[in-house]
Amino acid sequence: MDINTPTRIPAGIDEAEWAIRCDLAALYRLVAHHKMTDLIYTHISARIPGPEHHFLINRYGVMFHEMRASDLVKIDLDGNVVDPHHPAAPTTVNKAGFVIHSAIHAAREDALCVVHTHTAAGIAVSAQEHGLLPISQHALKFYGRLAYHGYEGIALDLEERDRLVADLGANSAMILVNHGLLVTGRTIPEAWNQIYYLERACQAQVAALSGGAKLILPPEEVRLRTASQYGRDPNSPTMKLAWEASLRLIEGDRTDWRC
């Protein structure tokens, strides 16, 4: 099957929503493939076109490696399930996931996709006072464009949404202190690019610090130039190539994500 061709679209879902569902389910599986999961916790969401700002998020309890387009639940900005294919039970969607993702989808029109992870490297860097250091090419992708949000406990308080959005500002990547990583994307492939490289930057930092040797930091002008060299076009040919290449990693899974 062509990796760009969705399977039969279920009744009640239009083509635009189904395409987003398929890409989002694929992104869940890619995150699982690269071992960025935390059992059934953490979330990836994507906004559906339309003025309602409805967005898709994982059905609570489905593991990332088994996610399918039909497993994603459509909810509104108040956390209500507006998806006829899923029951509106209290356990359908995780509340902490709703709080974080609804805040960003409501405030940032450009944030079509939001990814939040709890990886060992991401949590480790989030607990380091200096944050992400400019010691690798991967880290320099985010130089001057990385936000931080202080830890307030499990994200169950709706009032935290305003503070989270204020801390994120206009950035598309953020470290949640003592918690993990968060990125946004104007497209799902861009969100994948963001979380992949932020995670790799954190892994490199943890490895470098574990060696105990003095670290080399590039001069400021090199940091700025490198950051500017990274493309900012979410539809660039190279990003499309990277997305399609990544999809080949999960092609042939036991159950198809496009169902």
Side-chain angles (χ1 to χ4, degrees):
M1 181 184 298
D2 185 339
I3 61 175
N4 296 306
T5 303
T7 55
R8 181 178 61 83
I9 301 175
I13 298 177
D14 62 29
E15 290 186 12
E17 178 179 331
W18 187 248
I20 292 173
R21 282 178 175 270
C22 289
D23 279 350
L24 184 57
L27 181 51
Y28 271 96
R29 293 201 183 193
L30 285 171
V31 167
H33 180 87
H34 289 274
K35 304 187 186 303
M36 300 184 205
T37 59
D38 187 15
L39 293 178
I40 61 172
Y41 307 101
T42 74
H43 310 276
I44 313 172
S45 62
R47 195 176 62 246
I48 298 299
E52 302 89 354
H53 279 69
H54 291 163
F55 64 94
L56 299 166
I57 198 165
N58 50 316
R59 180 164 60 86
Y60 205 20
V62 178
M63 297 287 279
F64 283 24
H65 75 276
E66 59 188 3
M67 195 67 65
R68 302 170 302 168
S70 56
D71 289 319
L72 297 161
V73 182
K74 184 164 56 176
I75 62 176
D76 64 21
L77 292 176
D78 294 317
N80 301 308
V81 175
V82 291
D83 191 334
H85 298 277
H86 293 282
T91 56
T92 302
V93 174
N94 176 255
K95 183 176 180 181
F98 158 72
V99 168
I100 293 172
H101 290 253
S102 65
I104 298 170
H105 283 303
R108 291 278 298 272
E109 192 67 31
D110 62 322
L112 179 137
C113 184
V114 180
V115 185
H116 171 43
T117 61
H118 298 162
T119 62
I123 294 171
V125 172
S126 81
Q128 294 171 354
E129 188 175 358
H130 45 61
L132 186 67
L133 295 170
I135 59 171
S136 69
Q137 183 165 281
H138 289 353
L140 291 174
K141 172 180 172 68
F142 303 96
Y143 190 69
R145 298 184 174 97
L146 184 63
Y148 292 83
H149 175 65
Y151 188 60
E152 300 186 24
I154 297 174
L156 302 176
D157 184 357
L158 293 179
E159 293 181 358
E160 185 179 354
R161 293 192 294 185
D162 290 340
R163 296 185 289 274
L164 190 149
V165 167
D167 287 338
L168 179 62
N171 297 295
S172 59
M174 181 160 68
I175 289 180
L176 305 177
V177 178
N178 305 117
H179 188 173
L181 307 178
L182 184 146
V183 303
T184 71
R186 292 164 290 180
T187 65
I188 289 173
E190 183 181 42
W192 168 235
N193 180 278
Q194 289 280 90
I195 195 62
Y196 178 85
Y197 283 107
L198 185 56
E199 170 65 18
R200 294 280 286 175
C202 290
Q203 291 174 355
Q205 178 165 316
V206 171
L209 290 173
S210 69
K214 185 176 180 179
L215 301 179
I216 300 171
L217 275 68
E220 178 69 6
E221 61 270 21
V222 174
R223 301 179 199 179
L224 293 171
R225 183 170 72 251
T226 306
S228 69
Q229 288 174 323
Y230 277 99
R232 302 294 166 185
D233 179 6
N235 298 306
S236 70
T238 55
M239 192 168 293
K240 184 175 185 292
L241 283 173
W243 173 248
E244 291 176 349
S246 296
L247 290 181
R248 291 196 293 273
L249 293 170
I250 59 171
E251 187 69 26
D253 279 358
R254 192 167 9 178
T255 59
D256 198 283
W257 69 87
R258 296 156 293 198
C259 62

